[in-house]
Amino acid sequence: MNGLAFLIPVALSLGLAGLGAFLWSLRSGQFDDLDGAAHRILIDEEPPE
């Protein structure tokens, strides 16, 4: 029973930290261009020598 009194607040705080990180990433534009990153990995920036 004492373990639950410790683990429940820890779990809630980790969940809130994850939610905060997700909301921060939404506001900073991490998910704005999902297809662009997939196309940029296929393009060579340096011409072959």
Side-chain angles (χ1 to χ4, degrees), residues 13 22 29 39 43-44:
S13 64
F22 177 70
H39 292 282
I43 298 171
D44 286 334

Side-chain angles (χ1 to χ4, degrees), residues 8 11 16-18 21 24 29-30 33-34 39 43 45 48:
I8 289 175
L16 288 175
W24 173 78
Q30 296 282 327
D33 186 20
L34 294 177
H39 292 282
I43 298 171
E45 293 182 6

Side-chain angles (χ1 to χ4, degrees), residues 8 12 15 21-23 28 35-36 42-43 47:
I8 289 175
L12 289 175
F22 177 70
L23 292 175
S28 65
D35 291 333
L42 299 174
I43 298 171

Side-chain angles (χ1 to χ4, degrees), residues 1-31:
M1 188 67 185
N2 289 336
L4 285 178
F6 174 72
L7 290 176
I8 289 175
V10 169
L12 289 175
S13 64
L14 287 174
L16 288 175
L19 181 63
F22 177 70
L23 292 175
W24 173 78
S25 66
L26 280 178
R27 289 185 183 179
S28 65
Q30 296 282 327
F31 301 108

